[in-house]
Amino acid sequence: MNKKPIGQLLKELGYVTEDQIQIALEVKKISGGLLGEVLVALAFVSPTEIAEAIAVQAGKPFVDLSQYPPSKEALKILNKDLALQLEVIPLAIKGSTLDIAMVNPYDINAVDIVQRRTGLNINILVADKESLRKSIEINYFLLEHPIEQELENILKEIQSGNTAQNIPKLVNLIIDKAIIERATDIHISPESLATHVFYRVDGIMRHYFSLPSNVHSPLSSRIKVMAGLDIAEQRLPQDGSFSYEFFNEQYDFRVSTVPTAYGENLVLRILSKNVSLFNLKRLGFEEYLYKKIEKALEKPQGIFLVTGPTGSGKTTTLYASLRKINSLQRNILTVEDPVEYKFPFIKQTQVNEKAGFTFAKAIRAFLRQDPDVILVGEIRDEDTAQMAIRASITGHLVLSTLHTNDAISAIPRLTDIGIKEYMIASGVQGILAQRLIRKVCNFCKEEIEISVNQLVELGFDEAFVRSQIDSEKIKIYKGKGCRYCNNTGYLGRVAIGELLTIDDEIGDMIIRKEPPLAILNKARQSGMLTLKEDGFFKVKKGLTTPEEVVRVVG
């Protein structure tokens, strides 16, 4: 079988450019190693993208191990040392077949060993090396030390008076479980009878543990010490941060405390340091929208705004957009608060309010650095907005975020903070509003039928729905609930969006101070689709449910 070279496949998949491959080949001459390894070391591609290319090359499915935890039965069939040696993890036993994830699907020897050890037929899936080794370490450890059992043992120790050495262990267990569950936030909430631990997973708060009330005070003190906060101050809100290592991977935690009637409420936001690369295509935007975003990013000037509430994936989209822009041919500078992820060949700076280094001052300094593209973490005030507009009008592409519920609301929001209508019309080229919606769980999804009338009752526009389907009913998917999705029926999230392009006609309407609704109607006549309409495409494809779109968009 003729295998396509990995470099060519990565290029065809849109993960690298020819320029990046040439630089990697030059570095390869100096440092040696495989091209894929050099591309990862230069941060041109992620290990995940290499694995996806290998999967395409081998004609095998790629598996995201963060969303495919192996079953205990499968893990017990192969010991950990052999799994690490062969770079293989058993995922599930299905009758006489064993699903395995492996780094190298061409390793016939490894497949043969697993087949002889288990006596089962082997179905190969491809995973990246980093995720696979991490999955082996974590899942075999949890097989021997279940977190729930460990938690029970620690609480017994604490109840018997042995608090000092067990509170740090308790905090670590709560954090470890959150990382394993893919949580973005940990909420530790005191109530009259108990303290409750919630995790936000796929945008939804879920209750995980109840702890005795007398644990709350030492628990919050421990977290405050880790975050560098004042443990004696319990009457005022405080903010802090700390770093945490989990199986050799670094995570940043931002901590917020607020005094309540029953004690301090703590919220910990989790940021993985290792997620260094983003891919605009993998965010899941529909093809029509992806092409419009791509077109906007190719323009030499103007502001491209990404809007939405907290937790809607704005920063991820900005970073993915940065990666889409060729950083070897355009000088890119960013000012962020804070710099969360580092990119190659991009100059990244961080605001420092105490030193007087604000977003606005950073943009002013950037204009003397011969920039092509400027990323501004967030437009919060008039100074930042004015400087961003000025930069866009003087021939630079500016990317930024704004907190508004939909694309059209960004126009009155900009005028509210002091930007003149003619400057918005001439400076802003596109406004993308986005949300993250939960995907139906692939492991427990089942096909159901839904009628047009039911969709209309849920709030979908009848004329639009009828324009997209040719019968009274459509087949969609719904999750029954299983161990993979914590019985929610949903696993993972995908982006939906609406893009308002500021063309000459809409620019004139903005200058004439026409109401947002009139501008929206004009944009819709030109082909703009709303968030809910974009969400309907995901329903039609079986990726999500109508109820989930309505829950997120309204």
Side-chain angles (χ1 to χ4, degrees):
M1 183 178 75
N2 282 334
K3 293 191 295 182
K4 273 190 184 178
I6 283 294
Q8 189 184 334
L9 272 171
L10 288 166
K11 196 174 151 189
E12 284 175 14
L13 291 165
Y15 293 159
V16 291
T17 62
E18 185 57 41
D19 288 347
Q20 289 172 328
I21 289 173
Q22 290 310 314
I23 285 178
L25 288 169
E26 284 175 35
V27 173
K28 184 173 175 285
K29 284 178 195 170
I30 300 163
S31 64
L34 299 170
L35 177 63
E37 290 170 353
V38 175
L39 285 165
V40 170
L42 287 168
F44 286 151
V45 294
S46 66
T48 302
E49 288 161 354
I50 294 282
E52 284 182 0
I54 292 169
V56 170
Q57 188 187 54
K60 302 289 182 187
F62 167 79
V63 62
D64 178 355
L65 290 174
S66 70
Q67 295 190 0
Y68 198 156
S71 70
K72 288 177 184 175
E73 296 72 36
L75 287 171
K76 286 172 184 172
I77 211 166
L78 204 69
N79 70 57
K80 179 187 170 185
D81 291 339
L82 190 60
L84 282 169
Q85 184 190 326
L86 301 176
E87 294 188 325
V88 160
I89 187 165
L91 296 174
I93 301 167
K94 297 171 180 174
S96 60
T97 302
L98 174 68
D99 281 356
I100 63 165
M102 59 194 302
V103 175
N104 180 7
Y106 301 106
D107 191 344
I108 299 162
N109 183 46
V111 175
D112 187 49
I113 291 169
V114 175
Q115 198 159 19
R116 280 190 283 111
R117 288 287 176 102
T118 63
L120 296 167
N121 298 320
I122 305 300
N123 179 42
I124 299 169
L125 297 95
V126 181
D128 71 88
K129 191 169 186 170
E130 224 172 77
S131 298
L132 185 123
R133 293 192 77 83
K134 185 177 161 189
S135 187
I136 290 171
E137 293 289 351
I138 292 170
N139 287 294
Y140 279 99
F141 177 80
L142 292 175
L143 198 61
E144 300 295 321
H145 309 90
I147 282 183
E148 283 73 10
Q149 188 58 54
E150 295 278 309
L151 188 71
E152 208 174 293
N153 296 341
I154 284 172
L155 289 175
K156 278 180 189 169
E157 287 281 315
I158 291 170
Q159 293 298 79
S160 64
N162 192 358
T163 305
Q165 69 187 65
N166 283 294
I167 286 294
K169 287 182 188 173
L170 177 61
V171 171
N172 290 355
L173 273 183
I174 290 169
I175 291 173
D176 292 351
K177 180 69 173 173
I179 294 169
I180 290 163
E181 293 291 331
R182 302 178 299 107
T184 52
D185 302 86
I186 304 170
H187 291 247
I188 301 171
S189 307
E191 296 292 336
S192 57
L193 301 176
T195 283
H196 301 281
V197 177
F198 294 84
Y199 297 148
R200 188 177 291 280
V201 181
D202 290 337
I204 300 288
M205 289 264 287
R206 296 186 202 158
H207 184 274
Y208 274 79
F209 308 119
S210 293
L211 308 173
S213 295
N214 62 341
V215 169
H216 187 78
S217 185
L219 182 73
S220 60
S221 292
R222 169 65 184 168
I223 292 169
K224 286 167 79 174
V225 166
M226 290 167 75
L229 304 178
D230 182 357
I231 60 168
E233 180 55 79
Q234 297 178 11
R235 300 161 301 168
L236 295 171
Q238 294 186 67
D239 293 304
S241 62
F242 64 89
S243 285
Y244 185 83
E245 191 174 290
F246 180 69
F247 284 95
N248 299 319
E249 186 169 346
Q250 284 293 322
Y251 292 81
D252 276 343
F253 283 75
R254 291 189 206 156
V255 180
S256 167
T257 73
V258 170
T260 71
Y262 298 108
E264 287 179 288
N265 192 74
L266 291 95
V267 177
L268 288 72
R269 165 61 59 92
I270 308 171
L271 299 165
S272 168
K273 278 187 178 176
N274 279 3
V275 188
S276 57
L277 288 172
F278 299 83
N279 186 298
L280 200 55
K281 207 146 203 170
R282 289 186 69 200
L283 298 181
F285 290 116
E286 291 295 308
E287 191 63 22
Y288 82 91
L289 191 55
Y290 173 77
K291 286 193 182 313
K292 285 184 177 181
I293 295 169
E294 207 175 26
K295 198 174 172 185
L297 297 174
E298 286 167 0
K299 290 190 178 174
Q301 62 192 49
I303 293 185
F304 182 74
L305 287 172
V306 183
T307 78
T310 304
S312 59
K314 296 188 299 294
T315 304
T316 304
T317 299
L318 272 194
Y319 282 145
S321 300
L322 267 192
R323 194 173 162 217
K324 188 73 189 164
I325 297 163
N326 191 337
S327 59
L328 297 173
Q329 293 180 356
R330 295 165 91 178
N331 184 23
I332 304 172
L333 297 105
T334 80
V335 55
E336 305 164 54
D337 183 21
V339 172
E340 289 178 18
Y341 308 105
K342 294 181 177 69
F343 290 86
F345 301 97
I346 290 174
K347 296 76 172 174
Q348 294 173 269
T349 59
Q350 188 164 308
V351 294
N352 187 334
E353 300 284 351
K354 286 180 184 173
F357 187 59
T358 60
F359 281 120
K361 281 192 177 172
I363 301 168
R364 197 172 281 116
F366 287 173
L367 292 174
R368 297 191 290 273
Q369 288 273 313
D370 183 31
D372 294 298
V373 183
I374 295 171
L375 181 143
V376 183
E378 188 186 340
I379 290 177
R380 298 175 183 168
D381 52 50
E382 187 179 351
D383 281 353
T384 307
Q386 293 280 12
M387 284 307 303
I389 291 271
R390 194 174 301 168
S392 73
I393 291 170
T394 53
H396 307 93
L397 178 64
V398 180
L399 310 179
S400 192
T401 67
L402 200 63
H403 282 277
T404 65
N405 284 331
D406 52 23
I408 204 74
S409 301
I411 296 166
R413 173 82 182 107
L414 288 169
T415 56
D416 282 349
I417 58 176
I419 307 301
K420 300 290 183 193
E421 284 80 2
Y422 73 89
M423 290 185 81
I424 297 171
S426 58
V428 180
Q429 53 129 320
I431 303 163
L432 173 72
Q434 71 172 64
R435 296 287 189 283
L436 295 175
I437 56 170
R438 292 180 296 167
K439 294 190 289 185
V440 172
C441 174
N442 263 327
F443 297 98
C444 63
K445 68 180 182 183
E446 57 181 2
E447 197 175 75
I448 61 165
E449 274 195 339
I450 190 167
S451 69
V452 172
N453 288 340
Q454 285 173 292
L455 287 164
V456 172
E457 281 170 21
L458 283 167
F460 288 88
D461 180 70
E462 185 173 356
F464 176 76
V465 171
R466 289 193 185 280
S467 72
Q468 298 301 315
I469 59 174
D470 51 12
S471 64
E472 282 303 309
K473 290 187 174 181
I474 60 164
K475 287 185 170 69
I476 63 168
Y477 286 96
K478 210 163 193 172
K480 288 184 289 187
C482 64
R483 75 175 181 91
Y484 294 103
C485 61
N486 258 336
N487 293 311
T488 61
Y490 297 97
L491 182 62
R493 288 191 290 177
V494 67
I496 59 170
E498 60 179 31
L499 180 63
L500 174 66
T501 303
I502 313 285
D503 57 20
D504 291 343
E505 282 186 273
I506 290 188
D508 286 343
M509 291 177 81
I510 293 169
I511 291 167
R512 293 197 303 269
K513 300 185 182 180
E514 294 207 23
L517 189 59
I519 296 171
L520 178 63
N521 288 336
K522 182 66 189 171
R524 286 179 55 65
Q525 285 168 26
S526 304
M528 176 187 166
L529 297 177
T530 65
L531 281 162
K532 190 176 279 185
E533 289 166 347
D534 191 57
F536 178 75
F537 292 134
K538 296 286 190 286
V539 173
K540 195 180 165 190
K541 283 181 176 177
L543 285 174
T544 191
T545 61
E547 292 82 2
E548 174 64 5
V549 174
V550 171
R551 180 190 72 81
V552 173
V553 179

